[in-house]
């Protein structure tokens, strides 16, 4: 089931194009589905695990102040990986910096355990991995802080940002890393029973050992890059951390735990060892993914592990609220209420599986991996909440659970970790589509022995049917004719059209308001009045043309958005090909519908310019929608006593009839 109806047209068994992916991204960004900044704790860069608006559902009025190290590391990693040279990477460094500040303030916990003054068996005496994100202070509420993986993710990402040149290493941070390495050695993390990423029954788990091993390997990479840098820890400590972790993982994997009485064959957290940590080889990675797919992937999402009672069927009716339990006895009591197949199905793993298959495709170019990458991305999109969700639409939930016999989104919506993974999956999908586009274009050019970039339709049909005799020649010929001119196919246009949606030109038409001077002859006040008249008409549209107005950056003429559109909105419009530049921003902007395939440029080169991005290879549909858009805009303007007069397009623009 696709919960958000607006995404339903994209969740289908057809090859995804880059154009389609941009439409998806545009809808998600416009509806703030991936917006975690609004939930930041006051005074820091950190975010709670769930949206602030959902804090009341947790039964704790201060829940929105609590931040988890692990969740914020995944958010920071997503920001860095998807914008390594941009502002998002700087934001990632700020997040890691705030977590480092907290750990430095509470470094005495590391010192006390290293010195033997504190008992590491006491979870509250360990370094806290959940704390107050506003004050960067510890919380007195009991929590099982035995979570070695959280420390591993922090060390790993702090070192990664330095290796990538995005966050220089400081003396205090280097001292902190040394303390953490000594601490992990002291507790013998490779055989330490901790609560793991799910904060539940303590065991020796591969999903806790892997992040620490990855952290040690990344720290080693950092030291190799900067030979003069030294971590303040005992000689041989880092080597022992690496050796013991690798040896123990080799014994446990592909299982999660092999302890007597605590065995767990498969856990979705093992996927993190495949990506982003990449701490296992390809064969083991394939084995882990295969086990998760066979044992944990459900109809809606992915179970964390079989027998998981947290958010099991009718959880709120049985337990009253989403209270966490930590003791083995309490967890066993809760486990009595879960039956096979009634576990919650979580939403952060489908996007992670999409990233993993994307990584494999980008390395090996196996189209089967590309198809799996798309399949899991579409499953992730199907999980975005719809209008029937009590928490609201366009949210990335923590999980879906059964209420009686209906799968409903959990109260933890939106969920930071899910948002971060979906952000990564969209980025990885775009990268894979770009690669596949270039690869297929290269393969087709092998047929172009004369290096002229073209081939006759009948010759291309002959080649394709020779390669695959099962292809119906008549149908292939009809398809190719859509991309041909006078019986000749351009390879570039064919591949751009099939894989990127680039060959179809937008349909455009330019207009001025009747009775008013041309744009170039107007005063600033007249231009602002045109904007007022046009936007008033546009914001009254409904149906497929209903949308939002985005004034140009720094514009002060649109009262509902003083200062102009946001940076994120500008990026979305640029990616959709709808943005325009102007020396003067006042009185100018872009109106766009929800799917960003229809736009009205206000005071660009004329008073009004209508733009319709047609479906792939279908310029006729684009022209028809343009005519419909002109009609509804004209009718809306007439309600206020205005009308529009068509003028010539700018000379640099391609007319729709010239697209082929």
């Amino acid at each position: 089931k696709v919960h958000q109806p607006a995404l339903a047209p994209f969740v289908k068994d057809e090859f995804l194009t880059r154009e389609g992916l941009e439409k998806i991204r545009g809808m998600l960004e416009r509806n703030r589905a991936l917006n975690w900044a609004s939930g930041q704790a006051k005074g820091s860069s950190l975010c709670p695990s769930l949206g602030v608006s959902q804090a009341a559902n947790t039964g704790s009025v201060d829940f929105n102040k609590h931040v988890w190290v692990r969740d914020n590391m995944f958010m920071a990693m997503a920001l860095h990986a998807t914008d390594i040279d941009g502002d998002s990477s700087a934001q990632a460094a700020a997040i890691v910096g705030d977590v480092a500040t907290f750990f430095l303030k509470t470094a005495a916990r590391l010192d006390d355990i290293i010195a033997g003054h504190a008992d590491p068996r006491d979870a509250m005496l360990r370094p806290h991995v959940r704390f107050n994100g506003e004050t960067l202070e510890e919380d007195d509420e009991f929590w099982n802080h035995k979570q070695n993986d959280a420390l591993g993710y922090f060390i790993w990402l702090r070192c990664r940002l330095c290796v990538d040149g995005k966050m220089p290493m400081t003396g205090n941070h280097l001292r902190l890393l040394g303390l953490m390495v000594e601490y992990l050695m002291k507790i013998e993390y490779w055989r330490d029973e901790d609560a793991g990423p799910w904060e539940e029954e303590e065991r020796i788990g591969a999903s806790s050992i892997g992040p620490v091993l990855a952290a040690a390997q990344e720290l080693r990479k950092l030291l190799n890059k900067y030979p003069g840098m030294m971590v303040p820890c005992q000689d041989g400590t880092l080597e022992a951390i690496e050796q013991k972790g690798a040896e123990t993982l080799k014994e446990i994997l592909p299982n999660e735990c092999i302890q007597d009485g605590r065995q767990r064959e498969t856990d979705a957290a093992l996927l993190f060892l495949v990506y982003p940590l990449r701490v296992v080889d390809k064969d083991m990675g394939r084995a882990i993914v295969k086990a998760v797919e066979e044992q944990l992937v459900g109809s809606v999402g992915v179970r964390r592990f079989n027998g998981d009672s947290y958010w099991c069927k009718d959880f709120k009716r049985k337990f009253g609220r989403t209270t966490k339990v930590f003791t083995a006895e309490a967890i066993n009591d809760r486990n009595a209420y879960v039956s096979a197949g009634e576990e919650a199905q979580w939403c952060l793993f489908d996007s992670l599986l999409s990233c993993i298959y994307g990584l494999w495709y980008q390395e090996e170019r196996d189209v089967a991996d590309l198809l799996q990458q798309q399949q899991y991305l579409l499953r992730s999109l199907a999980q975005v909440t719809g209008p029937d969700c009590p928490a609201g639409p366009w949210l990335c939930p923590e999980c879906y659970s059964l209420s009686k016999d209906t799968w409903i989104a959990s109260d933890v919506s939106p969920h930071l970790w899910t948002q971060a993974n979906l952000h990564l999956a969209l980025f990885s999908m775009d990268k894979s589509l770009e690669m596949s586009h270039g690869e297929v274009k290269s393969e087709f050019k092998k047929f172009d022995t004369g290096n002229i970039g073209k081939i006759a339709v009948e010759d291309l049909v002959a080649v394709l049917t020779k390669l695959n005799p099962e292809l119906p020649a008549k149908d292939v010929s009809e398809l190719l004719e859509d991309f041909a001119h006078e019986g000749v196919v351009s390879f570039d246009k064919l591949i751009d059209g099939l894989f990127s949606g680039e060959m179809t030109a937008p349909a455009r038409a330019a207009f001025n308001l009747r009775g008013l001077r041309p744009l170039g002859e107007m005063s600033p006040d007249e231009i602002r009045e045109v904007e007022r008249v046009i936007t008033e008409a546009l914001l009254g549209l409904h149906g497929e043309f209903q949308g939002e107005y985005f004034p140009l950056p720094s514009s002060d003429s649109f009262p509902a958005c003083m200062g102009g559109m946001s940076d994120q909105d500008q990026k979305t419009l640029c990616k959709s090909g709808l943005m325009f530049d102007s020396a003067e921003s006042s009185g100018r902007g872009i109106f766009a519908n929800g799917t960003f395939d229809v736009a009205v440029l206000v005071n660009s080169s004329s008073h009004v310019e209508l733009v319709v991005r047609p479906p792939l290879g279908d310029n006729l549909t684009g022209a028809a929608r343009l005519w419909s858009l002109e009609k509804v805009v004209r009718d809306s303007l007439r309600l206020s006593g205005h009308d529009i007069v068509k003028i010539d397009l700018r000379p640099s623009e391609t007319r729709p009839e010239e697209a082929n």
Side-chain angles (χ1 to χ4, degrees), residues 529-574:
E529 175 62 13
V530 169
E531 179 187 46
R532 185 195 68 78
V533 171
I534 298 299
T535 54
E536 185 176 284
L538 294 174
L539 293 173
L541 302 184
H542 299 285
E544 64 172 321
F545 298 132
Q546 181 176 349
E548 183 177 350
Y549 181 66
F550 303 93
L552 289 189
S554 76
S555 170
D556 60 356
S557 59
F558 188 64
C561 190
M562 298 297 288
M565 69 180 76
S566 68
D567 290 344
Q568 189 59 62
D569 289 333
Q570 184 175 359
K571 288 181 181 179
T572 300
L573 289 165
C574 286

Side-chain angles (χ1 to χ4, degrees), residues 13 53 64 75 92 125 140 204 212 261 293 424 464 510 576 594 620:
D13 292 329
S53 62
N64 60 318
M75 180 179 72
L125 296 182
D140 293 335
I204 300 173
V212 178
E293 290 179 325
L424 275 170
L464 295 174
S576 301
L620 291 178

Side-chain angles (χ1 to χ4, degrees), residues 114 155 177-190 212-213 215-217 219-220 223 231-245:
I114 293 169
I155 298 170
L177 296 181
L179 277 175
M180 287 184 164
V181 168
E182 290 280 12
Y183 163 83
L184 291 164
M185 187 68 185
K186 177 70 175 182
I187 65 171
E188 298 184 339
Y189 83 97
W190 59 91
V212 178
L213 175 58
Q217 292 174 345
L219 181 53
R220 172 73 59 198
L223 297 178
V231 178
C233 62
Q234 293 290 326
D235 290 344
T237 301
L238 186 58
E239 291 79 3
I241 291 276
E242 291 181 271
Q243 180 184 346
K244 293 293 186 180

Side-chain angles (χ1 to χ4, degrees), residues 83 177 253 323-324 352 424 633:
D83 190 23
L177 296 181
L253 291 174
T323 305
K324 292 282 289 186
L352 188 64
L424 275 170
V633 170

Side-chain angles (χ1 to χ4, degrees), residues 176-487:
L176 175 62
L177 296 181
L179 277 175
M180 287 184 164
V181 168
E182 290 280 12
Y183 163 83
L184 291 164
M185 187 68 185
K186 177 70 175 182
I187 65 171
E188 298 184 339
Y189 83 97
W190 59 91
R191 58 183 179 187
D192 180 52
E193 295 181 354
D194 77 342
W198 311 139
E199 304 179 325
E200 296 206 342
E201 186 178 4
E202 296 174 13
R203 66 183 74 230
I204 300 173
S207 62
S208 284
I209 296 169
V212 178
L213 175 58
Q217 292 174 345
E218 197 67 25
L219 181 53
R220 172 73 59 198
K221 192 183 300 183
L222 175 64
L223 297 178
N224 289 339
K225 183 173 183 178
Y226 300 102
M229 185 180 292
M230 296 181 63
V231 178
C233 62
Q234 293 290 326
D235 290 344
T237 301
L238 186 58
E239 291 79 3
I241 291 276
E242 291 181 271
Q243 180 184 346
K244 293 293 186 180
E247 290 174 353
T248 307
L249 276 186
K250 187 175 180 180
E251 293 174 5
I252 299 175
L253 291 174
N255 301 288
E256 162 66 2
C257 179
I258 56 175
Q259 276 181 282
D260 289 342
R262 302 185 187 182
Q263 294 93 338
R264 180 174 296 165
E265 183 178 354
T266 306
D267 193 304
L270 293 174
L271 294 173
F272 306 135
L273 277 58
V274 186
Y275 183 83
L277 298 176
R278 305 187 68 176
V279 76
V280 296
D281 61 30
K282 290 180 181 178
D283 289 341
M284 182 56 71
R286 294 274 184 185
I288 290 171
V289 168
K290 184 174 184 290
V292 169
E293 290 179 325
E294 291 178 349
Q295 300 182 40
L296 301 181
V297 171
S299 60
V300 180
V302 180
R303 295 181 287 277
R304 298 191 300 184
F305 53 89
N306 288 322
D308 181 11
S309 58
Y310 187 53
W311 279 109
C312 64
K313 183 177 180 179
D314 297 325
F315 187 86
K316 291 177 71 175
R317 181 178 61 81
K318 293 171 180 175
F319 302 103
R321 50 180 282 189
T322 59
T323 305
K324 292 282 289 186
V325 295
F326 300 107
T327 67
E329 181 181 3
I331 292 171
N332 287 335
D333 289 343
R334 194 183 68 193
N335 287 348
Y337 290 90
V338 65
S339 299
E342 295 181 354
E343 302 95 337
Q345 296 188 20
W346 291 62
C347 300
L348 66 155
F349 298 114
D350 284 290
S351 49
L352 188 64
L353 282 163
S354 181
C355 289
I356 290 171
Y357 275 110
L359 176 68
W360 290 341
Y361 170 73
Q362 292 156 23
E363 290 179 344
E364 301 175 6
R365 299 296 198 277
D366 187 337
V367 71
D369 289 331
L370 179 61
L371 294 175
Q372 286 295 92
Q373 179 184 12
Q374 175 176 315
Q375 179 64 26
Y376 282 110
L377 174 61
L378 297 182
R379 279 173 54 94
S380 299
L381 296 174
Q383 296 159 359
V384 176
T385 61
D388 57 343
C389 176
W394 293 101
L395 302 177
C396 296
E398 181 182 51
C399 65
Y400 278 86
S401 63
L402 280 170
S403 177
K404 296 184 179 179
D405 294 317
T406 302
W407 291 101
I408 61 171
S410 78
D411 289 344
V412 185
S413 300
H415 184 232
L416 180 66
W417 203 346
T418 303
Q419 289 176 307
N421 285 0
L422 180 55
H423 186 63
L424 275 170
L426 291 166
F427 176 82
S428 178
M429 190 77 242
D430 184 63
K431 185 176 180 180
S432 292
L433 290 178
E434 182 179 18
M435 285 185 172
S436 69
H437 166 227
E439 186 174 348
V440 173
K441 183 180 288 187
S442 176
E443 288 298 313
F444 267 76
K445 285 186 176 180
K446 291 179 182 178
F447 301 136
D448 184 17
T449 56
N451 197 32
I452 60 174
K454 298 178 180 180
I455 188 172
V457 170
E458 58 184 23
D459 292 338
L460 184 53
V461 171
V463 170
L464 295 174
T465 52
K466 182 178 180 180
L467 292 172
N468 185 355
E470 296 182 3
L471 286 175
K474 183 174 182 295
D475 293 344
V476 172
S477 180
E478 290 177 355
L479 171 65
L480 295 176
E481 286 291 351
D482 291 336
F483 303 99
H485 179 66
E486 296 181 352

